Amino acid sequence: CKLVVNNLIAVKNCELVKTYLDLSEAPGQAGIVRRYVSLVKLFAKAHRLSCAQDGFLSSYAWTMMALHVLLRYRLIPCITPQALAAQHFCRGVDVSFVDNITCLPVAFESRLRQLGLTQLLHLFFHYYSRVFSVETDIVSLRRPSMPKSSPAGQRLHAQSWRFSIEDPFETADSLFPTDLGASLVNYTKQAHIFKLLGLARRGTEVSLQKSSVGYNGTISFLRSGLESIMDSNSIERYQYA
């Protein structure tokens, strides 16, 4: 539980995250998105990787990382494109998003059902240890990819060595561009994070191998996922549908 005082943008951030977490929930039952994000945060907490004050990433940054993976593989819809919601501004920052979704659209639900929690965790660890490039990519909830070399990346002041995570509202295009990865104080701490992500990827892979269906299904999904749905840079492929 976090107490927020006189920071309406932070309140809107919480509302955005809650909307995402509630997408796959049945009445009285926590959905797979919420459980997946909770497990990612528990992983970070257990290894003391979620304390920005100690030079690592914040718990909120880990949440953005977890949601980005689901968005990247089109397992949940993107609800932040401004064209899809009435614009609302807070202190000069556009905090609008689609907030009237009560359930996960069928197209996304069918894809999400293909994967269990262990498979989702493996997808998370695989993505950040094998697919995502710290040197060239930025984590974002509004775009399938954002190169650091792009104008948006330059406005975010993304450094080549450091993990960059765009705030969902205080984006690179806003009045106050915010990089949640700026809490990383040096390369050593970042290298420690990615070492543990790689170890966790191998750990979840071993767990999945105990069930050939789960393992083969995950490998098949990894091989076909990005190639089939990200064959262009069109943002339309990434938006809510």
Side-chain angles (χ1 to χ4, degrees):
C1 180
K2 294 184 179 180
L3 181 63
V4 177
V5 179
N6 198 28
N7 188 343
L8 296 180
I9 296 178
V11 172
K12 298 301 291 186
N13 278 333
C14 292
E15 292 176 357
L16 173 68
V17 170
K18 184 179 185 302
T19 300
Y20 271 124
L21 298 185
D22 289 346
L23 280 179
S24 64
E25 297 202 341
Q29 182 179 4
I32 191 170
V33 174
R34 182 181 297 274
R35 287 180 286 159
Y36 153 74
V37 172
S38 296
L39 287 175
V40 168
K41 293 171 68 175
L42 282 173
F43 162 81
K45 184 177 181 180
H47 294 284
R48 301 179 181 179
L49 305 176
S50 60
C51 185
Q53 290 84 351
D54 292 338
F56 289 102
L57 296 169
S58 67
S59 176
Y60 183 67
W62 283 95
T63 299
M64 295 299 102
M65 289 169 59
L67 292 175
H68 171 76
V69 173
L70 299 184
L71 288 163
R72 182 79 158 143
Y73 285 94
R74 281 187 66 85
L75 293 170
I76 59 174
C78 180
I79 63 174
T80 56
Q82 298 175 3
L84 299 178
Q87 287 186 310
H88 300 284
F89 288 86
C90 178
R91 298 179 179 177
V93 175
D94 187 353
V95 294
S96 56
F97 64 95
V98 181
D99 59 356
N100 59 349
I101 304 176
T102 58
C103 62
L104 195 64
V106 175
F108 294 93
E109 185 177 7
S110 62
R111 290 180 59 81
L112 193 59
R113 282 182 176 178
Q114 297 178 39
L115 303 173
L117 275 175
T118 304
Q119 291 168 301
L120 283 178
L121 284 175
H122 180 67
L123 187 66
F124 175 85
F125 296 130
H126 173 87
Y127 178 76
Y128 285 110
S129 62
R130 291 294 184 87
V131 179
F132 184 83
S133 172
V134 173
E135 290 77 17
T136 61
D137 299 332
I138 297 174
V139 172
S140 174
L141 296 192
R142 63 193 181 108
R143 304 182 185 186
S145 63
M146 182 189 294
K148 288 187 176 181
S149 59
S150 66
Q154 294 173 7
R155 287 191 294 271
L156 204 60
H157 303 293
Q159 299 183 25
S160 60
W161 69 269
R162 194 189 68 214
F163 199 7
S164 292
I165 305 168
E166 182 188 48
D167 185 273
F169 292 135
E170 295 175 304
T171 65
D173 302 322
S174 70
L175 293 176
F176 311 104
T178 299
D179 183 354
L180 300 173
S183 60
L184 288 165
V185 294
N186 56 50
Y187 181 79
T188 301
K189 290 183 179 293
Q190 177 171 279
H192 181 61
I193 290 176
F194 280 90
K195 177 182 178 180
L196 291 175
L197 288 171
L199 291 172
R201 181 192 65 80
R202 290 195 289 272
T204 53
E205 186 173 297
V206 170
S207 296
L208 288 170
Q209 285 175 338
K210 295 179 180 179
S211 169
S212 60
V213 175
Y215 179 72
N216 293 334
T218 301
I219 297 303
S220 175
F221 189 91
L222 289 172
R223 287 174 177 170
S224 65
L226 284 182
E227 289 78 4
S228 64
I229 63 178
M230 295 298 172
D231 55 359
S232 76
N233 291 324
S234 173
I235 295 180
E236 282 74 20
R237 288 181 173 272
Y238 194 57
Q239 289 183 346
Y240 174 74

